[in-house]
Amino acid sequence: MKIKVNDNFSNIPESYLFSDINKRVNEYKSKNPNSDIVRLGIGDVTLPLPKIVVDAMVNASLEMLNKDTFRGYPPEYGYDFLKTAVKDYYKRNNTEIDLDSVFISDGAKSDLGNMVDILGDNEIYIPNPVYPVYLDSNLMSGRKINFIEGNEKNHFLPMPDSLDYNPKVIYLCSPNNPTGATYNYEELTKWVNYAYETGSLIIYDAAYEAFIKGDYPRSIYQIPNSKYVAIEVSSLSKMAGFTGIRCGYTIIPLELKANDKSINKLWKRRQATKFNGVSYPVQRASEAALSVEGIKECKKNLDIYYENAKLLCELFDRKNIWYTGGKNSPYIWLKCPNNMKSFEFFQYLLEKANIVGTPGVGFGKYGEGYFRLTAFASKENTLKAISRLEKLL
Ligand code: PLP
């Protein structure tokens, strides 16, 4: 063929992280077939869906059997019943949003990846280490990236202090993947004020907001003036166990304008052209998950993950190992002992304790020397890992 492909793809380093991890684990297993490997590297939920959610999905599917209740294409931006459920969920968390600002999606990843469609050639600022989709989607569209460094000194919560005053697009993720670090009200207010003063846009990833327990903002819209500067992207994946079911939402306030152009209108146009909505049974299941009763049920699962995170944190407290996260997040981000590099520590844990985690450098160069463990394994496996780590570290 003689057609041209998108050359920007050549600028994206291949993501070898998880294939590299699997390769190392498989190699180890083939040499040590009787090893009992515990996986604390997964970023996926493991507990089944609450019954109220499955009942709603089943009932909605049964409606499709009947010609009077059958439904075809859903609205591109989501059914009003689900948009209202999202609005009510925010309201119960003391946050007011407009119904027309809510866009239902098949998950946060698509919206975060697709957002580049409606933005022009801006300076892009991305925290590092962080969830890789912000970086890769901007590289695919040929954008130049600036990193904002997360480190131990700023507790992996980079702030705008050292940034210039040019308008920019800034990605923030709180609670953060992979560090679990969470911005407090004062810190997030600084970011919103910075964006307001500089005419910048914040793309705020709140995929882990449901894990917040303490006095931290669950939504950027809890900060004054944020509706003039921020898009919020969120998901039912971790909150309700929807990683396989697929549903999320993005909030684009009507107040959000770039040189008088409504961002909400641009996204509407983009979605109407390239997206055909989320299936009806999934939207009914999401409505059930976001209801008062549904949230109660989902929280029961989150409590199990919290308990695992707490036990891991207690271990690192006892061992005097520096870490962040684990309190408002299913992720614990620790400093590799004895100045080991991320992959060195990975191999050490695999061989000496048969534990698999995620090397921090996989989330960006400032993640080198750190390591991510997750609370998504079963309690039994988490306890097994803790007793092995107790002896090893
Ligand atoms: N944002 C962050 C920070 C994540 O860690 C993830 C998934 O791991 C996502 C977004 C994607 O979520 P979804 O399953 O809704 O696409």
Side-chain angles (χ1 to χ4, degrees):
M1 275 198 314
K2 295 197 175 151
I3 57 116
K4 292 181 186 130
V5 296
N6 181 347
D7 269 339
N8 295 321
F9 278 66
S10 341
N11 300 328
I12 310 169
E14 282 288 339
S15 175
Y16 290 122
L17 179 65
F18 288 99
S19 56
D20 194 6
I21 289 175
N22 281 337
K23 200 169 132 232
R24 285 165 184 256
V25 175
N26 288 339
E27 259 171 33
Y28 181 79
K29 274 200 100 162
S30 69
K31 286 187 200 147
N32 304 277
N34 295 326
S35 55
D36 175 21
I37 291 184
V38 175
R39 291 179 186 268
L40 296 188
I42 36 167
D44 198 353
V45 293
T46 49
L47 293 168
L49 294 173
K51 184 166 184 315
I52 184 172
V53 169
V54 175
D55 283 348
M57 198 158 30
V58 168
N59 290 337
S61 303
L62 290 174
E63 285 181 43
M64 295 297 203
L65 261 180
N66 187 321
K67 99 174 158 29
D68 296 328
T69 48
F70 166 79
R71 301 194 185 218
Y73 284 122
E76 293 99 341
Y77 317 131
Y79 282 108
D80 273 354
F81 66 76
L82 181 53
K83 287 167 50 175
T84 305
V86 171
K87 182 176 155 64
D88 290 348
Y89 175 62
Y90 271 66
K91 199 174 170 122
R92 297 200 303 277
N93 290 327
N94 304 318
T95 312
E96 293 288 342
I97 53 168
D98 283 308
L99 199 65
D100 279 347
S101 69
V102 182
F103 293 86
I104 304 302
S105 71
D106 63 350
K109 191 182 202 174
S110 329
D111 282 1
L112 287 162
N114 292 331
M115 204 52 75
V116 291
D117 274 9
I118 62 163
L119 300 174
D121 189 14
N122 297 294
E123 288 185 20
I124 308 291
Y125 279 73
I126 299 180
N128 184 309
V130 84
Y131 181 60
V133 173
Y134 323 142
L135 171 63
D136 288 355
S137 58
N138 275 286
L139 288 177
M140 282 173 187
S141 58
R143 264 54 163 215
K144 245 189 92 240
I145 314 294
N146 302 279
F147 290 121
I148 337 173
E149 179 181 346
N151 52 41
E152 242 172 273
K153 222 165 123 201
N154 61 27
H155 288 264
F156 287 92
L157 291 168
M159 297 300 296
D161 310 331
S162 60
L163 302 187
D164 63 38
Y165 265 60
N166 295 328
K168 40 184 73 71
V169 173
I170 302 154
Y171 287 80
L172 296 180
C173 177
S174 177
N176 183 284
N177 179 11
T179 68
T182 307
Y183 285 111
N184 64 25
Y185 282 94
E186 196 186 327
E187 290 157 345
L188 200 53
T189 300
K190 275 194 190 159
W191 271 115
V192 168
N193 289 348
Y194 171 82
Y196 193 78
E197 283 159 24
T198 55
S200 299
L201 169 70
I202 295 174
I203 299 177
Y204 190 73
D205 185 345
Y208 295 91
E209 59 77 28
F211 284 85
I212 292 179
K213 271 193 154 169
D215 188 22
Y216 294 85
R218 303 256 311 245
S219 159
I220 197 165
Y221 303 123
Q222 290 172 338
I223 309 295
N225 280 334
S226 54
K227 286 190 179 162
Y228 298 99
V229 302
I231 291 172
E232 181 160 296
V233 181
S234 199
S235 168
L236 278 82
S237 279
K238 307 296 158 76
M239 186 274 267
F242 270 49
T243 52
I245 302 290
R246 310 300 309 143
C247 195
Y249 50 88
T250 287
I251 316 291
I252 308 192
L254 307 177
E255 293 87 337
L256 198 59
K257 295 206 167 113
N259 301 314
D260 283 339
K261 289 213 171 84
S262 159
I263 305 287
N264 181 292
K265 265 196 184 162
L266 292 180
W267 188 245
K268 266 197 174 122
R269 189 73 182 84
R270 191 263 168 221
Q271 291 298 79
T273 302
K274 297 195 183 180
F275 184 59
N276 247 346
V278 175
S279 79
Y280 176 66
V282 166
Q283 293 203 48
R284 280 294 184 201
S286 306
E287 179 192 30
L290 289 166
S291 68
V292 174
E293 196 50 42
I295 292 288
K296 252 195 232 156
E297 292 301 308
C298 293
K299 287 263 185 251
K300 287 185 189 161
N301 282 354
L302 295 195
D303 281 344
I304 294 172
Y305 300 137
Y306 276 134
E307 179 61 18
N308 289 343
K310 186 169 149 266
L311 293 168
L312 284 162
C313 288
E314 285 169 0
L315 166 81
F316 298 123
D317 286 336
R318 282 197 296 281
K319 296 283 174 186
N320 239 339
I321 289 175
W322 189 95
Y323 69 91
T324 181
K327 306 279 192 294
N328 297 297
S329 157
Y331 298 125
I332 295 127
W333 178 254
L334 60 131
K335 189 176 168 73
C336 302
N338 303 322
N339 288 325
M340 275 190 250
K341 296 205 152 189
S342 299
F343 266 102
E344 211 183 326
F345 187 56
F346 172 88
Q347 203 64 31
Y348 180 71
L349 282 192
L350 176 62
E351 288 173 12
K352 304 283 181 211
N354 293 351
I355 292 171
V356 178
T358 313
V361 70
F363 299 97
K365 66 175 176 179
Y366 297 115
E368 180 59 283
Y370 294 85
F371 204 73
R372 190 190 77 173
L373 293 178
T374 86
F376 288 128
S378 66
K379 179 152 189 190
E380 185 196 353
N381 278 346
T382 306
L383 286 173
K384 204 186 275 182
I386 287 172
S387 95
R388 292 180 193 173
L389 291 170
E390 194 87 63
K391 289 184 205 125
L392 181 71
L393 298 177

